[in-house]
Amino acid sequence: QLQLVESGGGLVQPGGSLRLSCDASAFNLDYYAIGWFRQAPGKEREGVSCINSSDGKIGYADSVKGRFTIARDNSTNTVYLQMNSLKPEDTGVYFCAATIELYSLTESDYDYWGQGTQVTVSS
């Protein structure tokens, strides 16, 4: 079975920090790229950050550059999203996803999805 499980969401004040975790234990991160996406109510999912498989190259959406950091631990097949300087517009459900293709911030490139974890930044 192939399963992704997100955790670490919660309520945080503007300017605060959260670290999200993606348990990708069923995926060999040498072969699967991982992406983080988020979805606000009434909006489509948008790509936030991604990390490639073999070389670990990283991508970020312009809206989070300098504030968010993606990292992986290949020994546990866990991918993290460190979120700093959070803004109310960062509020949404955050998903991690996996693809055997090249890393990207395009939703349709990913085949496997977690259930999502809620991030709420108060205003």
Side-chain angles (χ1 to χ4, degrees):
Q1 58 187 28
L2 298 176
Q3 188 176 27
L4 295 163
V5 180
E6 305 94 333
S7 62
L11 175 65
V12 65
Q13 295 182 349
S17 298
L18 287 172
R19 189 178 75 159
L20 305 183
S21 298
C22 175
D23 179 356
S25 59
F27 299 84
N28 185 338
L29 297 185
D30 288 334
Y31 295 96
Y32 285 88
I34 301 295
W36 281 100
F37 296 80
R38 66 187 181 190
Q39 186 170 24
K43 296 184 177 180
E44 297 180 352
R45 286 177 183 167
E46 61 176 346
V48 175
S49 186
C50 54
I51 185 165
N52 205 25
S53 54
S54 59
D55 58 13
K57 290 184 177 179
I58 288 168
Y60 296 100
D62 288 341
S63 60
V64 306
K65 285 181 179 177
R67 299 189 298 120
F68 291 9
T69 303
I70 191 171
R72 70 183 183 186
D73 184 344
N74 286 26
S75 69
T76 61
N77 289 335
T78 303
V79 180
Y80 302 96
L81 185 67
Q82 179 66 46
M83 309 164 64
N84 298 327
S85 301
L86 283 163
K87 304 175 181 179
E89 51 263 44
D90 294 318
T91 293
V93 179
Y94 283 69
F95 302 86
C96 64
T99 179
I100 202 166
E101 301 174 353
L102 192 69
Y103 74 136
S104 78
L105 294 177
T106 302
E107 179 181 4
S108 61
D109 288 342
Y110 290 82
D111 303 303
Y112 307 96
W113 292 83
Q115 82 290 343
T117 185
Q118 177 71 44
V119 172
T120 302
V121 184
S122 65
S123 59

